[in-house]
Amino acid sequence: MASVRHEIVIAASPEQIWDVLRDVGAVHERLLPGRVTGTRIEGDQRFLTFPDGHVVRELVIGIDDEARRLAYCVVEGARPPVEFHHATFEVRSEGDGSGRLIWITDVLPHTRAADIRIRMERGATEMKQAIEAAAHG
């Protein structure tokens, strides 16, 4: 299994960053507007709809407010297709009023790691832009 880690500093307080991440039903509005066009929650499942109509089904495993940690897995609709996908987001303080987003994804087959890394880097940059715009707008 491959484990891909990506970290990015966001010019917003850890509390602001966490507030956006933990709002699992508003991905299309707060975290990835434009990239995700709709979010639907059914129990512990989250359905993300993309501009081309593609839907990804995820299982929200845990939201830990004290640790500022969100765990989820992609159950269906992963692009690129994978056998297994589990990921976590953690938010830590940078000590200067900004926060660090740590995104870790475990994926099988391990040959998908390079594709996953590219998507995580692009996604983290888009998340940073959305969160900073909201925090400073």
Side-chain angles (χ1 to χ4, degrees):
M1 181 177 318
S3 188
V4 181
R5 181 184 183 102
H6 183 70
E7 298 187 24
I8 192 166
V9 174
I10 299 175
S13 73
E15 294 79 15
Q16 289 170 311
I17 299 166
W18 177 242
D19 185 61
V20 173
L21 285 171
R22 75 162 329 280
D23 193 357
V24 295
V27 173
H28 63 296
E29 296 170 336
R30 302 184 68 197
L31 188 61
L32 289 169
R35 169 79 54 199
V36 175
T37 58
T39 307
R40 187 174 87 248
I41 301 292
E42 291 181 13
D44 290 338
Q45 294 186 84
R46 174 169 67 181
F47 298 83
L48 303 177
T49 303
F50 292 82
D52 65 358
H54 183 76
V55 176
V56 172
R57 181 167 61 102
E58 298 176 332
L59 177 63
V60 177
I61 297 168
I63 301 171
D64 183 335
D65 288 319
E66 188 174 325
R68 290 192 204 112
R69 181 178 184 271
L70 168 70
Y72 69 97
C73 62
V74 176
V75 177
E76 185 176 28
R79 291 195 285 194
V82 295
E83 297 169 19
F84 177 83
H85 179 289
H86 173 270
T88 61
F89 287 115
E90 290 185 38
V91 179
R92 297 195 183 144
S93 175
E94 282 294 289
D96 61 358
S98 63
R100 177 176 298 271
L101 174 62
I102 302 164
W103 189 2
I104 302 170
T105 300
D106 300 318
V107 65
L108 284 173
H110 67 277
T111 55
R112 293 286 191 211
D115 293 330
I116 296 296
R117 179 177 304 283
I118 290 166
R119 289 178 180 267
M120 288 172 63
E121 290 171 357
R122 186 181 314 134
T125 298
E126 291 177 15
M127 292 175 198
K128 172 183 170 71
Q129 291 167 348
I131 293 169
E132 288 178 351
H136 304 294

